[in-house]
Amino acid sequence: MLIMLCGGKHSMSKREYQVCSNCVMDTTDSVIIFDENGVCDHCKNYYTNIKPNWDTGEVGQQKLKMIVDQIKKDGHEKKYDCIIGVSGGIDSSYLIYYATEILGLRPLAYSVDTGWNTKIAENNINNIIKGLGLELIKEKVNWEEMKDLQLAFFKSQVPYQDLPQDHVIFSALYNYAVKHKIKHILTGGNYSTECIREPIEWVYQNDLRMIKDIHKKFGMIKLSKLPMTGMFKYKIYYRYFKGMKVHKPLDLIPYTKNDAISTLKSKFGYEPYPNKHFESIFTRFYEGYWLIKKYGYDKRRAHFSSLILTGQLERERALELLNNNSYCMEDVIEDLNFISIKLGITKEEFNEIMEGPSKTYLDYKNQYRMIAFFVSIARRLGIEKRQFR
């Protein structure tokens, strides 16, 4: 089946178009602020709040040593001392290598199969796990429920179509860790490649209330088997009552994208992807086509800007890449055909959604105020330094 590609309605700002003179963030972020030199507030936040407090040298090494010592102590005489979620992406792949080979930890590798991994991602995961001699737990979620939730999100017309996958993946990881009493979770989150957070209008946060409301309005079956974890459960109950601790080791070591790829290639035959998050077929389509075509949001702007600020990418090169999308139309059509068949969407249904009125999280029940409250506390405690708006 071939789906017709028709133009969607961009949710562009009514402001005069402008691109930051220092990074490549632009006015598709409707609340971006520029100074008299054309430098945006994302850059200002990086130079003011992140860079001065981000130490991957001696201070970072000392902090990392304390974390590793505690992990080893808590995991003494246990089969695993920590758990790491692996997707086949660069960050999680490098993290599990570093944790095992450099830090001497004994992680359990954990992967969630939502039905969308590319063959390249599967090969990358298998090669790394085999090369490190680790055990991999692969949880395959209930496809009928996953499908129903993703279809509901399509019909909801919100930009962030990857929220169902993200929520299920992290919920499954947290639930498994707590159930099996693995206290320490290591994640590949890092400032080096993610110091600029995508604007909330592009990527809304992990909000279970909104997920349930969208599914109630557009879903067809009951969700009884999908892993779900509300904010209170994983932010408070799991952490303060069950002792779950989440660590980001990559923030404490010298970490760059190209060095990580080089290491993974040489040790495991790792095959990189054209863009960040392209290890998932659905995410590749959502970020490379849906979000850009329907709303005018290009997540690569945030990805590239992070690399620019951390000295890993020249701004001129980033602008060239933005003008030459590595996700060609042939791949778009192939992925769309695959996704439509897998989700059971007809050509008419897809075109109707693409041409429908764009909506946001504000059109559904949500927990934005609570999320913003938690983020504000995290910023005051120095746990989170990226902008949230």
Side-chain angles (χ1 to χ4, degrees):
M1 177 176 63
L2 181 63
I3 300 297
M4 180 175 63
L5 301 178
C6 34
K9 299 178 181 179
H10 289 197
S11 177
M12 300 288 285
S13 169
K14 294 181 181 179
R15 303 165 58 182
E16 181 179 354
Y17 183 74
Q18 185 174 352
V19 183
C20 176
S21 61
N22 188 63
C23 69
V24 291
M25 291 299 289
D26 66 359
T27 43
T28 55
D29 171 3
S30 64
V31 295
I32 195 171
I33 299 172
F34 300 99
D35 68 11
E36 64 277 6
N37 297 313
V39 178
C40 76
D41 53 339
H42 293 284
C43 292
K44 292 293 185 67
N45 182 69
Y46 173 76
Y47 293 126
T48 302
N49 296 320
I50 296 178
K51 189 174 181 179
N53 302 299
W54 178 27
D55 193 325
T56 60
E58 185 177 347
V59 173
Q61 291 296 315
Q62 290 176 350
K63 290 181 179 178
L64 183 58
K65 185 180 184 305
M66 292 177 61
I67 292 171
V68 170
D69 287 346
Q70 188 63 54
I71 292 174
K72 289 181 177 180
K73 179 181 178 182
D74 292 341
H76 182 62
E77 294 185 347
K78 294 182 179 180
K79 188 175 182 180
Y80 314 105
D81 51 25
C82 61
I83 187 170
I84 300 176
V86 290
S87 64
I90 296 167
D91 297 334
S92 65
S93 297
Y94 187 81
L95 172 62
I96 200 162
Y97 150 74
Y98 195 88
T100 306
E101 293 291 292
I102 308 302
L103 301 180
L105 295 174
R106 296 176 289 106
L108 170 64
Y110 185 83
S111 175
V112 181
D113 181 2
T114 58
W116 298 110
N117 267 5
T118 62
K119 291 182 179 179
I120 295 175
E122 293 292 345
N123 289 337
N124 282 338
I125 292 172
N126 292 334
N127 289 341
I128 291 170
I129 298 305
K130 183 178 179 180
L132 294 172
L134 299 175
E135 181 179 354
L136 172 67
I137 298 295
K138 190 170 185 178
E139 179 167 345
K140 190 170 185 176
V141 301
N142 182 283
W143 170 244
E144 290 305 314
E145 292 187 12
M146 188 79 238
K147 169 185 171 182
D148 193 60
L149 182 56
Q150 289 189 290
L151 273 173
F153 261 72
F154 258 136
K155 294 173 183 177
S156 75
Q157 301 280 3
V158 296
Y160 192 27
Q161 291 296 311
D162 238 4
L163 182 52
Q165 275 201 108
D166 283 354
H167 184 85
V168 165
I169 288 170
F170 280 100
S171 294
L173 174 64
Y174 294 158
N175 292 346
Y176 187 93
V178 170
K179 180 179 179 180
H180 295 273
K181 299 181 180 180
I182 303 175
K183 188 174 183 179
H184 297 277
I185 298 174
L186 275 57
T187 78
N190 65 90
Y191 287 131
S192 179
T193 63
E194 301 169 344
C195 60
I196 289 185
R197 185 201 296 271
E198 294 99 337
I200 199 167
E201 61 191 322
W202 300 10
V203 178
Y204 184 57
Q205 302 302 299
N206 194 359
D207 188 336
L208 183 57
R209 187 183 187 198
M210 188 186 78
I211 292 172
K212 288 183 175 181
D213 189 48
I214 286 176
H215 185 260
K216 181 179 180 180
K217 286 181 169 65
F218 303 103
M220 300 298 292
I221 65 175
K222 184 179 180 180
L223 303 182
S224 60
K225 298 177 181 177
L226 277 186
M228 295 275 184
T229 305
M231 184 179 297
F232 176 83
K233 192 173 185 179
Y234 78 85
K235 285 283 188 183
I236 299 177
Y237 180 68
Y238 277 178
R239 299 193 184 196
Y240 297 103
F241 291 88
K242 292 294 186 178
M244 182 184 81
K245 297 184 182 299
V246 180
H247 309 284
K248 297 180 180 180
L250 298 184
D251 272 344
L252 303 174
I253 64 173
Y255 175 69
T256 63
K257 177 182 176 181
N258 286 339
D259 286 345
I261 292 175
S262 178
T263 298
L264 294 171
K265 277 184 175 181
S266 64
K267 291 184 176 295
F268 310 106
Y270 185 87
E271 187 174 349
Y273 314 93
N275 287 316
K276 190 177 178 70
H277 301 148
F278 272 30
E279 60 268 22
S280 162
I281 296 171
F282 185 87
T283 305
R284 181 170 65 194
F285 173 77
Y286 145 68
E287 290 191 6
Y289 180 78
W290 165 276
L291 197 60
I292 298 173
K293 185 72 173 177
K294 185 169 172 61
Y295 303 92
Y297 304 147
D298 192 338
K299 287 185 68 176
R300 293 179 302 162
R301 288 193 175 275
H303 302 161
F304 292 164
S305 293
S306 292
L307 296 178
I308 291 169
L309 290 176
T310 55
Q312 301 177 64
L313 180 65
E314 295 292 330
R315 182 175 182 274
E316 292 73 19
R317 177 57 178 157
L319 291 171
E320 290 177 9
L321 292 170
L322 287 168
N323 287 327
N324 297 282
N325 198 337
S326 58
Y327 189 36
C328 67
M329 188 53 62
E330 289 79 5
D331 291 337
V332 171
I333 293 172
E334 182 179 347
D335 285 351
L336 181 50
N337 192 42
F338 176 80
I339 291 169
S340 63
I341 292 172
K342 196 172 175 73
L343 291 181
I345 298 176
T346 66
K347 179 177 65 176
E348 291 74 22
E349 286 174 319
F350 177 78
N351 290 335
E352 183 180 347
I353 291 171
M354 284 296 291
E355 288 296 329
S358 299
K359 296 186 178 181
T360 74
Y361 66 95
L362 294 173
D363 292 294
Y364 301 97
K365 294 178 181 179
N366 64 77
Q367 293 178 305
Y368 173 77
R369 290 185 178 181
M370 182 179 294
I371 293 171
F373 173 72
F374 276 112
V375 172
S376 68
I377 292 177
R379 284 178 65 85
R380 290 172 189 168
L381 295 175
I383 299 170
E384 175 61 78
K385 298 182 179 67
R386 297 178 301 170
Q387 289 196 125
F388 176 82
R389 53 168 177 67

